[in-house]
Amino acid sequence: MRIDNLIHVDFDDDFDDSYYEQAAEQIYDNGGYNPEMLSTQKGSALINETFRVFNTAIDKGLGEEPDPKVSAALRENAFIFSGFKTHAELEQVSQMLTDEKGNIKLFNEFLNDIQSINQDYNHNYLRTEYNQALQAAQMAGKWADFEKNKNFINLQYRTANDERVRASHRILHGTTLPVDDPFWKQYTPPNGWGCRCTVVAVLKDDYPVQDSHGSIAKAESCFKTPKEKMFKENLAEKKRLFPSKHPYLPKGCGECKKTLLAYNPNSIWCKACGVIRKCRKGMDDNIEIVDTNGNKATPKDLRKSLAKDFDFSQLGKTINDKIKDLKCGSEVSQKVVIRKNSVRLFVKNEILTFATHFEKDKDGNFVILLHHIWIDERWQKKGIASKIIINMYAQAQKIGANKVKFVAKKDGSFTWAKKKYTARNRKSIFGLKDERAISIVNEFYKKHDENTPFPMYSIAKEELGEQVLKEMSWIHETIL
């Protein structure tokens, strides 16, 4: 069970204003705004810049080994919110096109007048929204643990316990109730903009439990303003960052699935929603999904497969972030091949390729096999392969895989041996030609059963170990 410390980090204000100015210029050139502009290069760039900021908050809030389902849901919510935020600010920008007499302003006058909108939406508001996303992501990451352990724990509300805590939150400090109590449906933090409160798990015998009705009544007596009431939902349980009644969203559409009466295809908000969701779908265009015959498949088909819970977007982001840091290539593309009883993943750009198989072995175990990793020699030993391996292992544990295996060959053979990974057994060592290395293997298996994992480091540490290992291959296996 994970119990994180309270997180509240000052916003690193690096928002690129050029995206805002380009979108505003497009509005000026077109004489106004319409939602279709969100799907243009300049409109989508502004959405993506906002989304990038929230992604940073999600990464910090969830930590190094996020639950793929939680991570995917939060990023989905962050993108939709970014789209509606962009829609709201560009509508406001459009209202600044004309002067009091209804005449179109000179461009420089227009550009000057809209700077306050940029300052509000992309700096002042964004700072507050960033911290909201950070807190909400942290709580969402913890909530799954709470539910798994609810038979042994209660939850306790805690404030930051300093002079900045608002009175309406301070009164809830120490409230202790079961995980399933109705109180948490409405008052799980964050409970307002800038809220630094959290919830922690406590053992059932360690603290007395309060009266549920009394706790709810106490909270309701404090949370009375529209801004406070807006947060009366358990965002962590819903895997959301922002309240469904946020003012960026039209009334009644916070939970819209296009089946509610609130949906109106002629509404400018509903038109914007359609464009935003189309843009979101377009973000996954670099993940090609096909069937075994090469015919196009869909995310729905993938959700029915063995790899249904694997977060391909998160893996891509992990690799692309490393590539961006190293400035060594373009973003990777991913191709997913759905077969009857397995899934194949192929990832590549100009400096790396790797293949992964999701399959069941003869005993019915769910196995993830990193079949091949190649990295251009100029960028080897820079941590790219490590990022891939770490992400795959973390996700494998989250999605319920029984085993992770990888084939170590060429440079990888020596690299992973040096890191003290083992060969699965004697039969998983291939192409060994050096007599001294063969002797080391034979001596080991005189003392051990042939199914015992072999310590490849015993070869790697030898004087010619690197040369020997790069000329052979072996399979590593970890039981999860």
Side-chain angles (χ1 to χ4, degrees), residues 169-186:
H169 294 202
R170 185 177 292 112
I171 198 172
L172 300 181
H173 183 77
T175 299
T176 306
L177 293 161
V179 176
D180 292 333
D181 192 273
F183 174 88
W184 303 116
K185 294 289 184 183
Q186 299 183 78

mmCIF file of all heavy atoms in Angstrom, residues 169-186:
data_model
loop_
_atom_site.group_PDB
_atom_site.id
_atom_site.type_symbol
_atom_site.label_atom_id
_atom_site.label_comp_id
_atom_site.label_asym_id
_atom_site.label_seq_id
_atom_site.Cartn_x
_atom_site.Cartn_y
_atom_site.Cartn_z
ATOM 1 N N HIS A 169 -11.758 23.967 5.781
ATOM 2 C CA HIS A 169 -11.017 22.719 5.619
ATOM 3 C C HIS A 169 -10.437 22.254 6.960
ATOM 4 O O HIS A 169 -10.393 21.056 7.236
ATOM 5 C CB HIS A 169 -9.884 22.895 4.600
ATOM 6 C CG HIS A 169 -10.372 23.156 3.204
ATOM 7 N ND1 HIS A 169 -9.595 22.909 2.096
ATOM 8 C CD2 HIS A 169 -11.547 23.656 2.733
ATOM 9 C CE1 HIS A 169 -10.273 23.245 0.996
ATOM 10 N NE2 HIS A 169 -11.461 23.709 1.377
ATOM 11 N N ARG A 170 -10.027 23.218 7.766
ATOM 12 C CA ARG A 170 -9.434 22.874 9.064
ATOM 13 C C ARG A 170 -10.417 22.092 9.932
ATOM 14 O O ARG A 170 -10.018 21.201 10.675
ATOM 15 C CB ARG A 170 -8.986 24.148 9.785
ATOM 16 C CG ARG A 170 -8.252 23.853 11.105
ATOM 17 C CD ARG A 170 -7.753 25.126 11.776
ATOM 18 N NE ARG A 170 -6.682 25.743 10.986
ATOM 19 C CZ ARG A 170 -6.786 26.886 10.346
ATOM 20 N NH1 ARG A 170 -7.925 27.573 10.397
ATOM 21 N NH2 ARG A 170 -5.769 27.372 9.667
ATOM 22 N N ILE A 171 -11.692 22.410 9.803
ATOM 23 C CA ILE A 171 -12.690 21.755 10.645
ATOM 24 C C ILE A 171 -12.830 20.268 10.308
ATOM 25 O O ILE A 171 -13.317 19.474 11.106
ATOM 26 C CB ILE A 171 -14.057 22.475 10.512
ATOM 27 C CG1 ILE A 171 -14.964 22.110 11.690
ATOM 28 C CG2 ILE A 171 -14.730 22.145 9.192
ATOM 29 C CD1 ILE A 171 -16.239 22.931 11.730
ATOM 30 N N LEU A 172 -12.371 19.869 9.109
ATOM 31 C CA LEU A 172 -12.450 18.466 8.693
ATOM 32 C C LEU A 172 -11.197 17.673 9.045
ATOM 33 O O LEU A 172 -11.174 16.447 8.906
ATOM 34 C CB LEU A 172 -12.678 18.384 7.178
ATOM 35 C CG LEU A 172 -13.953 19.058 6.644
ATOM 36 C CD1 LEU A 172 -14.040 18.878 5.133
ATOM 37 C CD2 LEU A 172 -15.183 18.490 7.313
ATOM 38 N N HIS A 173 -10.159 18.366 9.511
ATOM 39 C CA HIS A 173 -8.895 17.702 9.833
ATOM 40 C C HIS A 173 -9.130 16.596 10.868
ATOM 41 O O HIS A 173 -9.743 16.810 11.907
ATOM 42 C CB HIS A 173 -7.892 18.714 10.390
ATOM 43 C CG HIS A 173 -6.554 18.130 10.688
ATOM 44 N ND1 HIS A 173 -5.630 17.846 9.720
ATOM 45 C CD2 HIS A 173 -5.982 17.746 11.876
ATOM 46 C CE1 HIS A 173 -4.545 17.327 10.277
ATOM 47 N NE2 HIS A 173 -4.737 17.262 11.583
ATOM 48 N N GLY A 174 -8.638 15.407 10.554
ATOM 49 C CA GLY A 174 -8.761 14.278 11.468
ATOM 50 C C GLY A 174 -10.009 13.449 11.277
ATOM 51 O O GLY A 174 -10.155 12.398 11.925
ATOM 52 N N THR A 175 -10.935 13.881 10.408
ATOM 53 C CA THR A 175 -12.143 13.081 10.151
ATOM 54 C C THR A 175 -11.736 11.702 9.668
ATOM 55 O O THR A 175 -11.006 11.555 8.687
ATOM 56 C CB THR A 175 -13.032 13.763 9.090
ATOM 57 O OG1 THR A 175 -13.439 15.044 9.574
ATOM 58 C CG2 THR A 175 -14.267 12.928 8.789
ATOM 59 N N THR A 176 -12.205 10.676 10.380
ATOM 60 C CA THR A 176 -11.814 9.298 10.085
ATOM 61 C C THR A 176 -13.053 8.460 9.823
ATOM 62 O O THR A 176 -13.932 8.356 10.685
ATOM 63 C CB THR A 176 -11.016 8.700 11.254
ATOM 64 O OG1 THR A 176 -9.912 9.566 11.574
ATOM 65 C CG2 THR A 176 -10.481 7.320 10.903
ATOM 66 N N LEU A 177 -13.127 7.861 8.635
ATOM 67 C CA LEU A 177 -14.306 7.101 8.221
ATOM 68 C C LEU A 177 -13.887 5.952 7.301
ATOM 69 O O LEU A 177 -12.809 5.993 6.694
ATOM 70 C CB LEU A 177 -15.290 8.014 7.477
ATOM 71 C CG LEU A 177 -15.957 9.117 8.311
ATOM 72 C CD1 LEU A 177 -16.512 10.209 7.417
ATOM 73 C CD2 LEU A 177 -17.058 8.522 9.193
ATOM 74 N N PRO A 178 -14.738 4.924 7.166
ATOM 75 C CA PRO A 178 -14.417 3.821 6.255
ATOM 76 C C PRO A 178 -14.291 4.291 4.810
ATOM 77 O O PRO A 178 -14.833 5.334 4.428
ATOM 78 C CB PRO A 178 -15.624 2.873 6.415
ATOM 79 C CG PRO A 178 -16.187 3.204 7.756
ATOM 80 C CD PRO A 178 -15.973 4.673 7.945
ATOM 81 N N VAL A 179 -13.604 3.495 3.999
ATOM 82 C CA VAL A 179 -13.364 3.853 2.599
ATOM 83 C C VAL A 179 -14.678 4.048 1.843
ATOM 84 O O VAL A 179 -14.795 4.945 0.993
ATOM 85 C CB VAL A 179 -12.513 2.762 1.900
ATOM 86 C CG1 VAL A 179 -12.342 3.072 0.423
ATOM 87 C CG2 VAL A 179 -11.157 2.626 2.587
ATOM 88 N N ASP A 180 -15.691 3.217 2.136
ATOM 89 C CA ASP A 180 -16.961 3.269 1.417
ATOM 90 C C ASP A 180 -17.948 4.281 1.986
ATOM 91 O O ASP A 180 -19.086 4.356 1.510
ATOM 92 C CB ASP A 180 -17.619 1.878 1.417
ATOM 93 C CG ASP A 180 -16.837 0.876 0.582
ATOM 94 O OD1 ASP A 180 -16.142 1.313 -0.352
ATOM 95 O OD2 ASP A 180 -16.928 -0.330 0.865
ATOM 96 N N ASP A 181 -17.543 5.050 2.974
ATOM 97 C CA ASP A 181 -18.487 5.983 3.589
ATOM 98 C C ASP A 181 -18.925 7.063 2.593
ATOM 99 O O ASP A 181 -18.099 7.565 1.815
ATOM 100 C CB ASP A 181 -17.848 6.642 4.816
ATOM 101 C CG ASP A 181 -18.871 7.390 5.652
ATOM 102 O OD1 ASP A 181 -19.132 8.579 5.351
ATOM 103 O OD2 ASP A 181 -19.424 6.777 6.575
ATOM 104 N N PRO A 182 -20.215 7.440 2.606
ATOM 105 C CA PRO A 182 -20.722 8.479 1.688
ATOM 106 C C PRO A 182 -19.981 9.810 1.796
ATOM 107 O O PRO A 182 -19.981 10.598 0.842
ATOM 108 C CB PRO A 182 -22.191 8.631 2.105
ATOM 109 C CG PRO A 182 -22.538 7.337 2.761
ATOM 110 C CD PRO A 182 -21.289 6.862 3.431
ATOM 111 N N PHE A 183 -19.379 10.079 2.944
ATOM 112 C CA PHE A 183 -18.640 11.333 3.126
ATOM 113 C C PHE A 183 -17.612 11.536 2.026
ATOM 114 O O PHE A 183 -17.450 12.640 1.492
ATOM 115 C CB PHE A 183 -17.957 11.327 4.498
ATOM 116 C CG PHE A 183 -17.056 12.511 4.744
ATOM 117 C CD1 PHE A 183 -17.567 13.690 5.279
ATOM 118 C CD2 PHE A 183 -15.698 12.466 4.449
ATOM 119 C CE1 PHE A 183 -16.742 14.794 5.511
ATOM 120 C CE2 PHE A 183 -14.867 13.543 4.673
ATOM 121 C CZ PHE A 183 -15.396 14.716 5.214
ATOM 122 N N TRP A 184 -16.899 10.456 1.651
ATOM 123 C CA TRP A 184 -15.811 10.572 0.680
ATOM 124 C C TRP A 184 -16.324 10.813 -0.731
ATOM 125 O O TRP A 184 -15.561 11.266 -1.594
ATOM 126 C CB TRP A 184 -14.922 9.330 0.727
ATOM 127 C CG TRP A 184 -14.351 9.068 2.084
ATOM 128 C CD1 TRP A 184 -14.582 7.986 2.890
ATOM 129 C CD2 TRP A 184 -13.460 9.917 2.827
ATOM 130 N NE1 TRP A 184 -13.907 8.096 4.066
ATOM 131 C CE2 TRP A 184 -13.200 9.273 4.068
ATOM 132 C CE3 TRP A 184 -12.864 11.149 2.569
ATOM 133 C CZ2 TRP A 184 -12.369 9.828 5.033
ATOM 134 C CZ3 TRP A 184 -12.040 11.706 3.523
ATOM 135 C CH2 TRP A 184 -11.794 11.053 4.749
ATOM 136 N N LYS A 185 -17.603 10.515 -0.988
ATOM 137 C CA LYS A 185 -18.176 10.776 -2.307
ATOM 138 C C LYS A 185 -18.196 12.267 -2.622
ATOM 139 O O LYS A 185 -18.217 12.666 -3.786
ATOM 140 C CB LYS A 185 -19.603 10.223 -2.388
ATOM 141 C CG LYS A 185 -19.724 8.709 -2.296
ATOM 142 C CD LYS A 185 -19.192 8.033 -3.546
ATOM 143 C CE LYS A 185 -19.405 6.520 -3.476
ATOM 144 N NZ LYS A 185 -18.815 5.849 -4.663
ATOM 145 N N GLN A 186 -18.225 13.098 -1.577
ATOM 146 C CA GLN A 186 -18.339 14.538 -1.774
ATOM 147 C C GLN A 186 -17.132 15.332 -1.275
ATOM 148 O O GLN A 186 -16.864 16.423 -1.773
ATOM 149 C CB GLN A 186 -19.580 15.073 -1.050
ATOM 150 C CG GLN A 186 -20.892 14.498 -1.533
ATOM 151 C CD GLN A 186 -22.062 15.126 -0.819
ATOM 152 O OE1 GLN A 186 -22.469 16.240 -1.129
ATOM 153 N NE2 GLN A 186 -22.590 14.417 0.167
#
